[in-house]
Amino acid sequence: MKKLALHWKIIIGMVLGIIWALVSSSLGWSSFTIDWIDPFGTIFINLLKLIAVPLVLFSIISGVANIGDPKSLGRMGGKTLGVYLLTTVFAIGLGLTLVNIIKPGKLIDEQSRIDNRISYEIWASEQGYQVKDGINYLQDPNFFERAQEISKLTKSELKDAAVSDKLQTAETRKKVSPLQPLVDIVPDNFFYSLSNNGLMLQIIFFAVFFGVCLLFIPDQKSQPVLTLVDGINEVFLKMVDLVMQAAPFFVFALLAGVVSKMAGDDVGKVIEIFKGLSWYSLTVLGGLLMMIFVVYPLILKTFVKKIPYSGFFKSMSPAQTLAFSTSSSAATLPVTMECVEHNLGVDKKISSFVLPIGATVNMDGTSLYQAIAVVFLAQMHMIDLTVGQQLIVVLTATLASIGSAAVPSAGLVMLIIVLDSVGLNPAWIAIIFPVDRILDMFRTVVNVTGDATVCSIIADGENMLNYQEPDDPTKTFDLDS
């Protein structure tokens, strides 16, 4: 029997998990699923959370430090990083605009969202988080009975949770400095930041600061540190790989558990869950397609007149196809470089500098998806994120994209970081997991297309672009090699 690819195994695991949840709900076995199957899904989430923080830390240090000598980067280096970060912020802004206009999380029935909201408030109380919008359903006695059914907590425990949250809300509303968010980014104890949820921005700040400082010390002293950092980073990437090898089994448990928890013994709620998920998928897909076919061509046309719309896509089609099938911009990098050099006419000096940096720091598709996912999950749990909280999503998603590994499903690990940054439950990634692999394929196409766009802009600015219309771009190299 031919060995199935991992993504097909994951899809089979997702389908079987959903089928099991439907069967168990219809037969009244939801409690069995929650008690005996769902814990393996929790283990999966814990493993991802275990890997996420050190992966971001060492990936960002490695990515920043491997840029090279800052004195030799000059104009081209600054321009490259600037354009990459600009497209990332634009992608996140587009995602936030779409999700706030379409509101996919609010298209689920009201009772399911109330149940989700109660679960969120109980979780926030247990974890010591402040409820984001200051509204507390646990303070309303009308919801105590439903809260007890959801959480199995006693009425007095629920009252304590409501009072605790009320005290926290009152404390945070005391007058603080307008620059307090900036102060909060800079840690006074890095090890404390490592061991506490919600302090990811402090870890990212430390990683960027550490990486930049490595650039300013002599090579003979920085190289051993870089070698160590790169080696540790490879270990954590291997951890992701091993965890993802077992993902089909974990995903079965994850989906079975999360659907059973949200639906209980009412099969009708499962339909509502996936109705909301379909709107979420369409929102993400719409944003990704706009980036590929509208945003990047417009940016390219603004700065590079000589590459036509059809010529760009004809030149990049082999790399885009491979990116779609592998969901890995790192695996696609050799083909991307070949397409950019031979089909778009970019000088190798430019492509060998710009594209590897892009594979590390340019994750426009991942950033757009993370922005939509966070707001969708908040909407699904009746949480109205403020403009300030959504700006934190923009900042965290932008910085986390630097440390997002260019491998399949790495964006899912980074989403845990973004959810943590705004005090939302990282376990909610289970809700969007069923469609993640398919959307991941489109996200990778966005990332690769963005790399090629920025590379062409930099090359044209340095007078190192010699574009000629390709007859058959697939003949320039062997796609199977």
Side-chain angles (χ1 to χ4, degrees), residues 124-144:
S125 174
E126 291 173 346
Q127 298 295 320
Y129 282 108
Q130 173 197 345
V131 171
K132 284 297 158 188
D133 47 18
I135 302 170
N136 199 323
Y137 277 59
L138 295 182
Q139 294 177 5
D140 189 340
N142 294 326
F143 292 108
F144 274 171

Side-chain angles (χ1 to χ4, degrees), residues 88 200 306 308 312 464:
T88 299
M200 198 59 216
K306 61 183 76 171
F312 176 75
M464 294 185 182

Side-chain angles (χ1 to χ4, degrees), residues 9-37:
K9 293 179 183 177
I10 291 175
I11 290 171
I12 291 171
M14 291 189 300
V15 172
L16 291 178
I18 294 166
I19 291 173
W20 174 264
L22 290 169
V23 172
S24 64
S25 292
S26 61
L27 296 177
W29 295 352
S30 290
S31 59
F32 171 83
T33 302
I34 293 169
D35 291 339
W36 294 97
I37 296 178

Side-chain angles (χ1 to χ4, degrees), residues 18 26 51 151 175-176 178 210 247 269 282 334 340 378 415 432 451:
I18 294 166
S26 61
I51 297 167
S151 65
K175 188 176 181 180
V176 295
F210 192 97
K269 285 189 178 180
L282 289 173
V340 166
L415 182 57
I432 60 173
D451 291 347

Side-chain angles (χ1 to χ4, degrees), residues 81-94:
L81 291 174
V83 176
Y84 274 139
L85 289 176
L86 196 63
T87 59
T88 299
V89 172
F90 190 91
I92 296 169
L94 175 62

Side-chain angles (χ1 to χ4, degrees), residues 352-363:
S352 61
F353 174 79
V354 175
L355 291 177
I357 292 177
T360 304
V361 304
N362 183 45
M363 297 289 169

Side-chain angles (χ1 to χ4, degrees), residues 153-166:
L153 294 176
T154 65
K155 187 172 289 188
S156 62
E157 287 172 327
L158 289 170
K159 286 180 179 178
D160 288 342
V163 170
S164 172
D165 182 77
K166 191 173 182 180

